[in-house]
Amino acid sequence: MVTTDIGAQMEGPAGGTAGPSIVPRGVARLTLIAVTVAVFAETLRYSLPAFANTSVGAALGLGLVAAAVAFLAPAIRALRGPRWLVVIGVGGLLLTRVVAQGTGPVLNLAVVGTAFGLLALPALYESSRGLSGVGFSIAATAGLAFDTSIRMLFGTWDGVWRGGIGPWAVCLIVVAAGIAALAREMSSPAVPFPGISWRDALGAAALGPFIALQVLVLSNPAFVASAGWLSLTTACYVVWAGQALALAFLASGLAVRAVPGGVGVLGGTLLGVCAGAVAGTYALDGKLVVFAVVPAQLLAAWLLAVACRAPLRLAGTGGPIWRVDLGAALGGLALVAILVPYTLNPEHPLPFPNNALSGLAGILLGLLAAIAAARGGPLPARAPQRALAALGGCLLLLVPPVLFGQSAATKAPTGGAAEIRVVSLNIDQAMHDGRLDPERIARLVETQDADVVTLQDVGRGATASGTADLGVWLSDRLEMKLVWGPAADSQYGNAILTAVPVQSTGSARVFSGEQVRGYVWARLGEGDATVDVWTTRLAPGDEHDDARAVEMSALVKAWSGAPRTIVTGDLSTEADAEEIGVLTSAGLRRAPGTLAKGVTQNIFGTDDVVFGDSSVDDGGLVAVTAEVGR
């Protein structure tokens, strides 16, 4: 049997007729996959911060509840039929997205949205049966590429967190496209179910690890920017390059007809090594990230195509079709088991390096591809011209990052550092009342007319802050240069924003206990009118006083008594704590007027720094005017 609208050849003997199903034709089918994957990725990005702001037990419990909903797919199929499975899964996800735009993401909505998204995974296999695995992977990757491009219009701060005409327009356009594709599916003719073996069904689990990898690393421009030490615009081009190459390779039909299981295992191992090497506490950074992310994107898309061939067959022998539903639900469970603990790790360290979770996603994808590799299914027609068409389509997605790059602005340098206004604040991933709100941070800083802003708990691609690049966004919003220093991993750390010229910078990470901390410094000013500004965030909790002493000692050792120095940060302890003595005994003194009960934010300076006006905000912001001697 040949389906001419997708250029795919069907393999395998005629299957059973367990009941009617629906297979939409043409563009509608691809649009449905693309929109669903894009909306689900955004749903995960706004849901994970909500999970992270609860207790560990609650976060894990709610994640499991959401994952359990996907296992209802066989019951929905049996009671209401396959059409209702698709309507409830995909339609519920789209409806939740609109509600989130109107009310803002909250914990309950995050759980509901995640649950609908996980239920949409088996629904996608139902609505896409007969499409080649290559076609399915093309549509999923295209949806992620579109999602990445749209995010750049908002500087990676997703529109779901924001009001205004622009975010609403994007939301309604995307949801309308999904509803139109869903309606087209509902009008498609019925086809018989194929027989499905358990081995076939396991291929459907691949979509879960695939999306987990995309959210964590592969479709995360802020991750590539922070880990690769690149500008956010350049990082977006890197992500685009990986997605474009994956689409071109798959669209060309160059994927082999039969893939030995060992090749799938090898591919998954390489993918897991790449993901584990660049994402997590003990990750590598620098330009190596570029050479890992681009081929990893191509490899992930190809493995998804291989894994999905079997569950998308129109004909075959085996058991009931609901086995595919369970396979997809298992993939959703794997997604939750990877993303939720990874998100919790910065504040609640795992008993093992979180690199294992990102690596596990790649390895699982390879294993599932290996299991389904030789099971047959639709094969793509070879069409090199389609590769060029895919690349051409991707060029349109470059418009938002180009616009973003042109919109970035920086204040004119203020010259020397003889007198500067310094502000220090722990932004706590810019979460406030359950919402991601970096604009609130910007307004707080603006009230102080600051020249230098030191920030702690800054997310740059971290799932706990919706994978937004908070450092770059605040830098652009305040028109200041960003100096970045990673801590727990490359996506979570400290930052210095400055309108004063930067002469040199540095950062380091400190291994003092169960969590990795860090500090960052910058030499600011011109000529002899310079000042060194340092900032850090120390381990919180009364039980970690020894760890704080180690962390402060490491900073003092690195500072080595240099003159004209200001040290700021969230020291995570009261001002009279014994470990503060590490700083004072080294010759640093606290800025007068910055001491307030319950405020752990601190500003210290050397004797040649004269502190003037100071203030302490109820939200923990500390500001001081500093005059630097020569």
Side-chain angles (χ1 to χ4, degrees):
M1 174 181 178
V2 176
T3 55
T4 57
D5 63 328
I6 58 173
Q9 178 183 342
M10 308 304 299
E11 289 183 335
T17 56
S21 184
I22 42 177
V23 180
R25 299 297 180 191
V27 175
R29 173 168 37 183
L30 301 175
T31 301
L32 186 68
I33 300 168
V35 170
T36 301
V37 170
V39 173
F40 185 38
E42 185 178 15
T43 299
L44 288 171
R45 292 196 300 267
Y46 79 68
S47 296
L48 290 170
F51 290 154
N53 280 273
T54 64
S55 66
V56 174
L60 295 176
L62 292 173
L64 290 175
V65 168
V69 172
F71 288 91
L72 298 178
I76 296 172
R77 180 190 293 276
L79 293 174
R80 302 294 298 175
R83 292 180 186 271
W84 275 98
L85 174 61
V86 179
V87 168
I88 293 174
V90 177
L93 177 64
L94 297 175
L95 176 62
T96 305
R97 175 63 184 85
V98 176
V99 173
Q101 188 66 50
T103 64
V106 294
L107 180 59
N108 292 340
L109 191 61
V111 176
V112 172
T114 303
F116 275 126
L118 294 172
L119 185 61
L121 299 187
L124 279 184
Y125 284 104
E126 173 59 41
S127 64
S128 306
R129 194 153 24 83
L131 187 68
S132 70
V134 167
F136 187 91
S137 185
I138 285 174
T141 304
L144 291 164
F146 174 76
D147 174 61
T148 301
S149 182
I150 291 299
R151 293 189 71 204
M152 290 303 295
L153 286 176
F154 303 111
T156 69
W157 179 18
D158 275 325
V160 70
W161 299 99
R162 311 169 71 172
I165 296 176
W168 263 110
V170 170
C171 169
L172 294 178
I173 290 172
V174 172
V175 170
I179 291 175
L182 185 60
R184 175 69 178 87
E185 176 172 338
M186 293 302 99
S187 64
S188 298
V191 297
F193 290 140
I196 293 291
S197 71
W198 282 112
R199 186 174 178 181
D200 296 336
L202 281 176
L207 191 53
F210 174 79
I211 293 177
L213 272 177
Q214 298 293 333
V215 171
L216 278 179
V217 180
L218 302 182
S219 295
N220 186 346
F223 167 90
V224 177
S226 60
W229 296 88
L230 304 170
S231 71
L232 185 57
T233 302
T234 301
C236 187
Y237 293 153
V238 171
V239 172
W240 173 87
Q243 293 167 335
L245 287 175
L247 289 171
F249 173 71
L250 294 174
S252 70
L254 295 177
V256 295
R257 289 177 61 91
V259 181
V263 175
V265 172
L266 176 61
T269 301
L270 291 174
L271 183 59
V273 169
C274 284
V278 300
T281 302
Y282 300 97
L284 302 173
D285 59 13
K287 297 300 186 289
L288 176 66
V289 172
V290 175
F291 297 101
V293 167
V294 172
Q297 182 67 264
L298 191 154
L299 187 56
W302 175 71
L303 289 172
L304 178 66
V306 173
C308 291
R309 284 180 59 195
L312 293 176
R313 289 189 301 173
L314 281 174
T317 58
I321 193 65
W322 55 257
R323 290 179 175 180
V324 173
D325 300 338
L326 288 184
L330 287 172
L333 180 61
L335 181 151
V336 170
I338 290 167
L339 289 184
V340 173
Y342 193 97
T343 301
L344 295 173
N345 182 70
E347 293 298 330
H348 307 282
L350 295 165
F352 53 85
N354 61 340
N355 304 69
L357 293 173
S358 53
L360 177 63
I363 292 171
L364 274 177
L365 184 55
L367 288 176
L368 293 168
I371 290 172
R375 300 301 297 166
L379 292 171
R382 292 180 182 269
Q385 68 275 16
R386 293 183 183 177
L388 297 177
L391 286 174
C394 284
L395 288 176
L396 296 175
L397 301 179
L398 288 178
V399 174
V402 169
L403 295 176
F404 174 81
Q406 292 178 342
S407 67
T410 303
K411 288 180 181 177
T414 58
E419 184 175 284
I420 56 175
R421 184 70 171 172
V422 180
V423 167
S424 189
L425 176 66
N426 184 329
I427 70 171
D428 193 21
Q429 299 279 23
M431 296 296 297
H432 180 67
D433 291 337
R435 293 180 61 88
L436 182 68
D437 191 3
E439 176 62 29
R440 170 180 168 271
I441 304 298
R443 289 195 299 268
L444 281 174
V445 171
E446 283 180 325
T447 63
Q448 298 295 327
D449 193 24
D451 301 297
V452 179
V453 183
T454 63
L455 303 172
Q456 305 86 44
D457 285 4
V458 181
R460 297 193 61 202
T463 50
S465 53
T467 74
D469 197 326
L470 299 177
V472 169
W473 193 92
L474 288 168
S475 171
D476 290 342
R477 170 66 174 77
L478 296 170
E479 298 180 4
M480 291 181 165
K481 182 178 178 61
L482 169 66
V483 180
W484 167 249
D489 53 36
S490 294
Q491 285 67 61
Y492 185 89
N494 307 293
I496 299 173
L497 304 180
T498 175
V500 181
V502 178
Q503 289 194 2
S504 57
T505 66
S507 67
R509 302 165 76 194
V510 182
F511 298 79
S512 60
E514 61 181 6
Q515 187 57 281
V516 180
R517 300 289 162 178
Y519 57 79
V520 61
W521 63 267
R523 176 161 292 174
L524 309 176
E526 292 179 342
D528 293 333
T530 63
V531 61
D532 292 350
V533 177
W534 297 65
T535 194
T536 188
R537 194 286 172 93
L538 305 184
D542 294 339
E543 71 278 13
H544 292 145
D545 52 352
D546 290 340
R548 284 192 293 273
V550 170
E551 291 155 9
M552 282 190 276
S553 296
L555 186 151
V556 167
K557 182 178 180 181
W559 162 53
S560 67
R564 300 191 302 277
T565 296
I566 297 173
V567 177
T568 76
D570 185 350
L571 303 187
S572 303
T573 187
E574 296 292 337
D576 58 352
E578 182 177 347
E579 54 268 32
I580 296 291
V582 176
L583 296 179
T584 56
S585 63
L588 294 166
R589 55 188 179 82
R590 188 189 306 277
T594 60
L595 181 61
K597 185 173 178 58
V599 176
T600 59
Q601 195 67 234
N602 292 263
I603 297 180
F604 292 82
T606 50
D607 289 338
D608 48 10
V609 176
V610 179
F611 291 115
D613 295 338
S614 63
S615 63
V616 180
D617 183 85
D618 291 340
L621 180 148
V622 176
V624 66
T625 299
E627 183 177 343
V628 182
R630 299 194 182 195

